[in-house]
Amino acid sequence: MAELNAHNPGVYPGGVSAADGHGAEGGHTHQYHLVNPSPWPLLGAFSAGLMAVGGVMYMHGSGWLLAALGFLCVLTVMAGWWRDVVRESVHEKAHTPIVKLGLRYGMSLFIASEVMFFAAFFWAFFDASLYPKEAIGGVWPPENIETFNAFHLPLMMTLILLLSGTTVTWAHHAIVEGDRKTASVALGLTVILGILFSCFQVYEYSHAHFGFSDGIYPSTFFMATGFHGFHVLIGTIFLAVCWFRVRSGHFTPKSHFGFEAAAWYWHFVDVVWLFLFVSIYWWGA
């Protein structure tokens, strides 16, 4: 905090009032951002809970309407929350260097929590596959399960994600160089590849020879790959928002953490898929 002006103890250097914490030009007396009261965390929690309950009910033969409603509510919360964050960054100039540092720490910790999330699914898969129980015949995969050929559709999906990782990096370099047109093209290609991956996964699921409740293999397969697919969907939306922001000129070579956060998340999704491809589609089959 700046020291008080020696000639006027009620005023900070630069004409900042100690009473209201703002200067003559509306500047803050500190570099931190005190977020305005927001409904989005509470609404987001209710929306995610609604979608989760609907998803569980759908896995038991009903509840698809509730899951769809929950998903639409989550999308609404995302739109409103993103709008507020963009306004804070672009119009209110509230994202100071210290705030951006906090955002980087926050995103890093979020990705670390996601690593632990997927570690649980991998743990379940390897526990069942390395030590198959008598209930499934003591073999892995179980004899009644017809697995996917890793080098057909799964390999195509792997190439799509790896290519999307290169295009998002291309977009990052273009932003750093101030080339907004190239960044827009590269980011648009990344979004298209993300959508293409999701379409292939839907096609794959529609041709699976087993259902979610057909045993330990289908359960671990659908939980791990399904949640990854959900992350791809969220990441695609994240990148699509960044695409609109690039076209609107929100990012500069020195200030574009919103895009960096999306790129970090997308690279995380790429790495998780590589582990899924090797362990579940190839080794586990």
Side-chain angles (χ1 to χ4, degrees):
M1 187 70 71
E3 296 180 358
L4 289 174
N5 191 311
H7 299 289
N8 190 346
V11 178
Y12 289 97
V16 179
S17 170
D20 61 12
H22 292 78
E25 298 180 355
H28 292 283
T29 61
H30 53 76
Q31 295 192 53
Y32 298 96
H33 178 212
L34 302 181
V35 182
N36 294 325
S38 172
W40 304 124
L42 181 61
L43 293 178
F46 279 118
S47 300
L50 186 66
M51 184 174 64
V53 171
V56 171
M57 292 176 62
Y58 175 73
M59 294 175 189
H60 289 79
S62 63
W64 70 268
L65 188 60
L66 191 62
L69 178 61
F71 183 67
L72 290 176
C73 290
V74 168
L75 291 179
T76 302
V77 170
M78 290 170 65
W81 210 336
W82 254 313
R83 181 202 62 194
D84 289 353
V85 173
V86 170
R87 182 169 59 240
E88 292 168 1
S89 173
V90 178
H91 302 294
E92 299 177 7
K93 307 297 182 183
H95 291 179
T96 64
I98 290 181
V99 172
K100 290 178 182 178
L101 182 62
L103 292 174
R104 290 177 182 275
Y105 283 139
M107 191 65 190
S108 299
L109 291 173
F110 170 70
I111 292 177
S113 71
E114 292 286 277
V115 171
M116 296 298 101
F117 179 81
F118 279 100
F121 296 132
F122 281 108
W123 186 292
F125 180 82
F126 283 114
D127 177 71
S129 59
L130 292 174
Y131 306 100
K133 307 298 187 292
E134 292 184 6
I136 60 174
V139 296
W140 189 266
E143 294 182 352
N144 65 322
I145 296 298
E146 183 180 346
T147 62
F148 290 101
N149 187 327
F151 297 100
H152 285 174
L153 191 58
L155 179 60
M156 177 65 70
M157 295 162 68
T158 302
L159 295 177
I160 290 172
L161 270 192
L162 290 177
L163 181 59
S164 71
T166 64
T167 55
V168 77
T169 302
W170 178 25
H172 189 192
H173 283 287
I175 291 175
V176 171
E177 294 172 359
D179 188 351
R180 193 167 74 183
K181 182 178 180 181
T182 301
S184 176
V185 171
L187 199 50
L189 288 174
T190 308
V191 172
I192 292 173
L193 289 170
I195 295 172
L196 187 61
F197 178 91
S198 296
C199 291
F200 273 123
Q201 189 161 37
V202 170
Y203 177 83
E204 178 191 57
Y205 280 6
S206 67
H207 288 75
H209 296 283
F210 47 80
F212 183 84
S213 59
D214 289 344
I216 184 63
Y217 180 91
S219 297
T220 53
F221 173 86
F222 282 119
M223 287 297 289
T225 61
F227 269 107
H228 175 271
F230 180 73
H231 282 70
V232 169
L233 179 61
I234 297 299
T236 303
I237 296 172
F238 200 172
L239 291 170
V241 171
C242 289
W243 182 78
F244 284 107
R245 295 191 64 189
V246 166
R247 293 182 63 84
S248 300
H250 289 179
F251 299 134
T252 67
K254 294 185 178 298
S255 181
H256 53 269
F257 176 70
F259 170 80
E260 284 185 298
W264 291 0
Y265 187 84
W266 196 252
H267 288 310
F268 161 74
V269 168
D270 282 352
V271 172
V272 171
W273 176 258
L274 291 177
F275 278 99
L276 286 171
F277 175 76
V278 171
S279 61
I280 294 180
Y281 284 100
W282 185 9
W283 177 85

